[in-house]
mmCIF file of all heavy atoms in Angstrom:
data_model
loop_
_atom_site.group_PDB
_atom_site.id
_atom_site.type_symbol
_atom_site.label_atom_id
_atom_site.label_comp_id
_atom_site.label_asym_id
_atom_site.label_seq_id
_atom_site.Cartn_x
_atom_site.Cartn_y
_atom_site.Cartn_z
ATOM 1 N N GLY A 1 28.737 -28.253 -28.904
ATOM 2 C CA GLY A 1 28.711 -29.741 -28.959
ATOM 3 C C GLY A 1 30.063 -30.271 -28.500
ATOM 4 O O GLY A 1 31.062 -29.544 -28.410
ATOM 5 N N ARG A 2 30.077 -31.535 -28.213
ATOM 6 C CA ARG A 2 31.304 -32.168 -27.748
ATOM 7 C C ARG A 2 32.447 -31.989 -28.765
ATOM 8 O O ARG A 2 33.599 -31.707 -28.369
ATOM 9 C CB ARG A 2 31.047 -33.690 -27.520
ATOM 10 C CG ARG A 2 32.272 -34.428 -26.940
ATOM 11 C CD ARG A 2 32.007 -35.942 -26.889
ATOM 12 N NE ARG A 2 33.079 -36.621 -26.222
ATOM 13 C CZ ARG A 2 33.128 -36.822 -24.905
ATOM 14 N NH1 ARG A 2 32.147 -36.402 -24.143
ATOM 15 N NH2 ARG A 2 34.142 -37.423 -24.377
ATOM 16 N N GLY A 3 32.156 -32.155 -30.055
ATOM 17 C CA GLY A 3 33.167 -32.018 -31.084
ATOM 18 C C GLY A 3 33.762 -30.631 -31.107
ATOM 19 O O GLY A 3 34.965 -30.442 -31.314
ATOM 20 N N MET A 4 32.916 -29.612 -30.931
ATOM 21 C CA MET A 4 33.413 -28.256 -30.902
ATOM 22 C C MET A 4 34.325 -27.996 -29.719
ATOM 23 O O MET A 4 35.354 -27.335 -29.816
ATOM 24 C CB MET A 4 32.219 -27.256 -30.862
ATOM 25 C CG MET A 4 32.653 -25.771 -30.762
ATOM 26 S SD MET A 4 33.796 -25.259 -32.062
ATOM 27 C CE MET A 4 32.675 -25.328 -33.502
ATOM 28 N N VAL A 5 33.985 -28.533 -28.552
ATOM 29 C CA VAL A 5 34.834 -28.378 -27.379
ATOM 30 C C VAL A 5 36.198 -29.012 -27.622
ATOM 31 O O VAL A 5 37.237 -28.426 -27.317
ATOM 32 C CB VAL A 5 34.184 -29.020 -26.124
ATOM 33 C CG1 VAL A 5 35.135 -28.922 -24.926
ATOM 34 C CG2 VAL A 5 32.881 -28.363 -25.812
ATOM 35 N N VAL A 6 36.199 -30.186 -28.251
ATOM 36 C CA VAL A 6 37.490 -30.832 -28.551
ATOM 37 C C VAL A 6 38.311 -30.009 -29.550
ATOM 38 O O VAL A 6 39.518 -29.832 -29.400
ATOM 39 C CB VAL A 6 37.243 -32.258 -29.108
ATOM 40 C CG1 VAL A 6 38.559 -32.869 -29.612
ATOM 41 C CG2 VAL A 6 36.667 -33.156 -28.018
ATOM 42 N N ARG A 7 37.620 -29.469 -30.579
ATOM 43 C CA ARG A 7 38.308 -28.656 -31.605
ATOM 44 C C ARG A 7 38.915 -27.397 -30.977
ATOM 45 O O ARG A 7 40.036 -27.004 -31.266
ATOM 46 C CB ARG A 7 37.368 -28.285 -32.725
ATOM 47 C CG ARG A 7 36.951 -29.432 -33.602
ATOM 48 C CD ARG A 7 36.777 -29.029 -35.063
ATOM 49 N NE ARG A 7 36.001 -27.843 -35.284
ATOM 50 C CZ ARG A 7 34.657 -27.812 -35.411
ATOM 51 N NH1 ARG A 7 33.971 -28.934 -35.329
ATOM 52 N NH2 ARG A 7 34.033 -26.684 -35.640
ATOM 53 N N VAL A 8 38.126 -26.782 -30.090
ATOM 54 C CA VAL A 8 38.606 -25.546 -29.437
ATOM 55 C C VAL A 8 39.815 -25.869 -28.553
ATOM 56 O O VAL A 8 40.842 -25.161 -28.552
ATOM 57 C CB VAL A 8 37.500 -24.905 -28.589
ATOM 58 C CG1 VAL A 8 38.046 -23.858 -27.655
ATOM 59 C CG2 VAL A 8 36.464 -24.266 -29.544
ATOM 60 N N ALA A 9 39.750 -26.983 -27.810
ATOM 61 C CA ALA A 9 40.849 -27.389 -26.920
ATOM 62 C C ALA A 9 42.105 -27.661 -27.722
ATOM 63 O O ALA A 9 43.221 -27.268 -27.353
ATOM 64 C CB ALA A 9 40.463 -28.626 -26.127
ATOM 65 N N GLU A 10 41.943 -28.344 -28.888
ATOM 66 C CA GLU A 10 43.115 -28.608 -29.745
ATOM 67 C C GLU A 10 43.683 -27.279 -30.321
ATOM 68 O O GLU A 10 44.879 -27.112 -30.386
ATOM 69 C CB GLU A 10 42.706 -29.512 -30.883
ATOM 70 C CG GLU A 10 42.411 -30.929 -30.413
ATOM 71 C CD GLU A 10 41.861 -31.809 -31.551
ATOM 72 O OE1 GLU A 10 41.498 -31.239 -32.642
ATOM 73 O OE2 GLU A 10 41.843 -33.051 -31.374
ATOM 74 N N SER A 11 42.783 -26.383 -30.698
ATOM 75 C CA SER A 11 43.213 -25.108 -31.253
ATOM 76 C C SER A 11 43.962 -24.257 -30.223
ATOM 77 O O SER A 11 44.862 -23.472 -30.596
ATOM 78 C CB SER A 11 41.991 -24.337 -31.785
ATOM 79 O OG SER A 11 41.320 -25.036 -32.794
ATOM 80 N N LEU A 12 43.602 -24.429 -28.986
ATOM 81 C CA LEU A 12 44.298 -23.680 -27.879
ATOM 82 C C LEU A 12 45.563 -24.395 -27.472
ATOM 83 O O LEU A 12 46.299 -23.915 -26.600
ATOM 84 C CB LEU A 12 43.360 -23.526 -26.685
ATOM 85 C CG LEU A 12 42.178 -22.583 -26.885
ATOM 86 C CD1 LEU A 12 41.181 -22.768 -25.748
ATOM 87 C CD2 LEU A 12 42.671 -21.137 -26.899
ATOM 88 N N GLN A 13 45.825 -25.588 -28.034
ATOM 89 C CA GLN A 13 46.980 -26.398 -27.734
ATOM 90 C C GLN A 13 47.044 -26.719 -26.243
ATOM 91 O O GLN A 13 48.125 -26.620 -25.612
ATOM 92 C CB GLN A 13 48.274 -25.716 -28.193
ATOM 93 C CG GLN A 13 48.352 -25.491 -29.707
ATOM 94 C CD GLN A 13 49.635 -24.848 -30.149
ATOM 95 O OE1 GLN A 13 50.203 -24.012 -29.457
ATOM 96 N NE2 GLN A 13 50.112 -25.227 -31.320
ATOM 97 N N LEU A 14 45.925 -27.099 -25.683
ATOM 98 C CA LEU A 14 45.864 -27.452 -24.277
ATOM 99 C C LEU A 14 46.464 -28.822 -24.022
ATOM 100 O O LEU A 14 46.326 -29.741 -24.858
ATOM 101 C CB LEU A 14 44.443 -27.439 -23.769
ATOM 102 C CG LEU A 14 43.631 -26.135 -23.877
ATOM 103 C CD1 LEU A 14 42.286 -26.300 -23.169
ATOM 104 C CD2 LEU A 14 44.399 -24.979 -23.309
ATOM 105 N N PRO A 15 47.160 -29.010 -22.894
ATOM 106 C CA PRO A 15 47.579 -30.355 -22.515
ATOM 107 C C PRO A 15 46.357 -31.247 -22.358
ATOM 108 O O PRO A 15 45.238 -30.750 -22.101
ATOM 109 C CB PRO A 15 48.275 -30.123 -21.139
ATOM 110 C CG PRO A 15 48.654 -28.675 -21.155
ATOM 111 C CD PRO A 15 47.585 -27.975 -21.945
ATOM 112 N N LEU A 16 46.536 -32.570 -22.472
ATOM 113 C CA LEU A 16 45.417 -33.479 -22.406
ATOM 114 C C LEU A 16 44.606 -33.331 -21.113
ATOM 115 O O LEU A 16 43.386 -33.418 -21.114
ATOM 116 C CB LEU A 16 45.881 -34.921 -22.582
ATOM 117 C CG LEU A 16 46.570 -35.266 -23.897
ATOM 118 C CD1 LEU A 16 46.773 -36.774 -24.022
ATOM 119 C CD2 LEU A 16 45.794 -34.766 -25.102
ATOM 120 N N ARG A 17 45.321 -33.145 -20.003
ATOM 121 C CA ARG A 17 44.635 -32.970 -18.728
ATOM 122 C C ARG A 17 43.685 -31.788 -18.740
ATOM 123 O O ARG A 17 42.559 -31.843 -18.264
ATOM 124 C CB ARG A 17 45.656 -32.827 -17.613
ATOM 125 C CG ARG A 17 45.063 -32.731 -16.218
ATOM 126 C CD ARG A 17 46.154 -32.556 -15.173
ATOM 127 N NE ARG A 17 47.032 -33.705 -15.152
ATOM 128 C CZ ARG A 17 46.783 -34.799 -14.499
ATOM 129 N NH1 ARG A 17 45.644 -34.917 -13.794
ATOM 130 N NH2 ARG A 17 47.647 -35.820 -14.492
ATOM 131 N N GLU A 18 44.146 -30.679 -19.357
ATOM 132 C CA GLU A 18 43.320 -29.474 -19.423
ATOM 133 C C GLU A 18 42.193 -29.619 -20.445
ATOM 134 O O GLU A 18 41.132 -29.007 -20.293
ATOM 135 C CB GLU A 18 44.180 -28.266 -19.760
ATOM 136 C CG GLU A 18 45.466 -28.146 -18.922
ATOM 137 C CD GLU A 18 45.213 -28.269 -17.452
ATOM 138 O OE1 GLU A 18 44.151 -27.817 -16.957
ATOM 139 O OE2 GLU A 18 46.074 -28.808 -16.744
ATOM 140 N N ARG A 19 42.391 -30.447 -21.465
ATOM 141 C CA ARG A 19 41.286 -30.693 -22.427
ATOM 142 C C ARG A 19 40.161 -31.455 -21.737
ATOM 143 O O ARG A 19 38.985 -31.145 -21.946
ATOM 144 C CB ARG A 19 41.818 -31.517 -23.618
ATOM 145 C CG ARG A 19 42.853 -30.789 -24.450
ATOM 146 C CD ARG A 19 43.288 -31.577 -25.667
ATOM 147 N NE ARG A 19 44.471 -30.982 -26.282
ATOM 148 C CZ ARG A 19 44.985 -31.340 -27.456
ATOM 149 N NH1 ARG A 19 44.401 -32.312 -28.138
ATOM 150 N NH2 ARG A 19 46.077 -30.758 -27.916
ATOM 151 N N ASN A 20 40.529 -32.395 -20.890
ATOM 152 C CA ASN A 20 39.514 -33.112 -20.128
ATOM 153 C C ASN A 20 38.742 -32.172 -19.214
ATOM 154 O O ASN A 20 37.515 -32.250 -19.052
ATOM 155 C CB ASN A 20 40.164 -34.228 -19.283
ATOM 156 C CG ASN A 20 40.421 -35.496 -20.054
ATOM 157 O OD1 ASN A 20 39.863 -35.682 -21.149
ATOM 158 N ND2 ASN A 20 41.245 -36.364 -19.520
ATOM 159 N N ALA A 21 39.471 -31.237 -18.574
ATOM 160 C CA ALA A 21 38.818 -30.290 -17.676
ATOM 161 C C ALA A 21 37.850 -29.391 -18.462
ATOM 162 O O ALA A 21 36.776 -29.051 -17.941
ATOM 163 C CB ALA A 21 39.887 -29.456 -16.956
ATOM 164 N N LEU A 22 38.243 -29.009 -19.666
ATOM 165 C CA LEU A 22 37.377 -28.119 -20.478
ATOM 166 C C LEU A 22 36.106 -28.921 -20.866
ATOM 167 O O LEU A 22 35.029 -28.343 -20.888
ATOM 168 C CB LEU A 22 38.130 -27.647 -21.700
ATOM 169 C CG LEU A 22 37.494 -26.449 -22.469
ATOM 170 C CD1 LEU A 22 37.479 -25.238 -21.584
ATOM 171 C CD2 LEU A 22 38.286 -26.166 -23.740
ATOM 172 N N LEU A 23 36.267 -30.197 -21.201
ATOM 173 C CA LEU A 23 35.101 -30.999 -21.522
ATOM 174 C C LEU A 23 34.152 -31.094 -20.344
ATOM 175 O O LEU A 23 32.935 -30.975 -20.496
ATOM 176 C CB LEU A 23 35.550 -32.421 -21.970
ATOM 177 C CG LEU A 23 36.069 -32.510 -23.405
ATOM 178 C CD1 LEU A 23 36.893 -33.792 -23.585
ATOM 179 C CD2 LEU A 23 34.913 -32.522 -24.391
ATOM 180 N N LEU A 24 34.702 -31.310 -19.147
ATOM 181 C CA LEU A 24 33.881 -31.430 -17.942
ATOM 182 C C LEU A 24 33.129 -30.126 -17.694
ATOM 183 O O LEU A 24 31.954 -30.121 -17.286
ATOM 184 C CB LEU A 24 34.787 -31.741 -16.762
ATOM 185 C CG LEU A 24 35.208 -33.226 -16.641
ATOM 186 C CD1 LEU A 24 36.271 -33.371 -15.532
ATOM 187 C CD2 LEU A 24 34.022 -34.113 -16.308
ATOM 188 N N SER A 25 33.823 -28.979 -17.930
ATOM 189 C CA SER A 25 33.134 -27.710 -17.696
ATOM 190 C C SER A 25 31.970 -27.464 -18.635
ATOM 191 O O SER A 25 31.060 -26.718 -18.330
ATOM 192 C CB SER A 25 34.172 -26.551 -17.851
ATOM 193 O OG SER A 25 34.523 -26.345 -19.204
ATOM 194 N N ALA A 26 32.009 -28.160 -19.798
ATOM 195 C CA ALA A 26 30.924 -28.059 -20.752
ATOM 196 C C ALA A 26 29.845 -29.126 -20.557
ATOM 197 O O ALA A 26 28.866 -29.197 -21.304
ATOM 198 C CB ALA A 26 31.444 -28.162 -22.184
ATOM 199 N N GLY A 27 30.069 -29.993 -19.550
ATOM 200 C CA GLY A 27 29.078 -31.019 -19.230
ATOM 201 C C GLY A 27 29.329 -32.318 -19.936
ATOM 202 O O GLY A 27 28.423 -33.202 -19.944
ATOM 203 N N TYR A 28 30.524 -32.557 -20.486
ATOM 204 C CA TYR A 28 30.853 -33.810 -21.158
ATOM 205 C C TYR A 28 31.857 -34.615 -20.387
ATOM 206 O O TYR A 28 32.722 -34.066 -19.691
ATOM 207 C CB TYR A 28 31.372 -33.531 -22.596
ATOM 208 C CG TYR A 28 30.401 -32.784 -23.441
ATOM 209 C CD1 TYR A 28 30.632 -31.453 -23.800
ATOM 210 C CD2 TYR A 28 29.272 -33.407 -23.946
ATOM 211 C CE1 TYR A 28 29.731 -30.775 -24.597
ATOM 212 C CE2 TYR A 28 28.363 -32.725 -24.755
ATOM 213 C CZ TYR A 28 28.607 -31.426 -25.050
ATOM 214 O OH TYR A 28 27.714 -30.737 -25.884
#
């Protein structure tokens, strides 16, 4: 889910730009 993608991105300490890219890769 979208919330899980955000949690995973935060846990990986990704920069905001890369968090957006991860969301896009999941279809969000």
Side-chain angles (χ1 to χ4, degrees):
R2 183 187 186 89
M4 176 56 69
V5 176
V6 172
R7 290 216 312 271
V8 166
E10 291 175 346
S11 300
L12 290 168
Q13 298 182 325
L14 300 188
L16 298 190
R17 183 180 298 277
E18 312 310 326
R19 296 184 192 188
N20 277 344
L22 196 63
L23 281 162
L24 282 170
S25 72
Y28 299 108

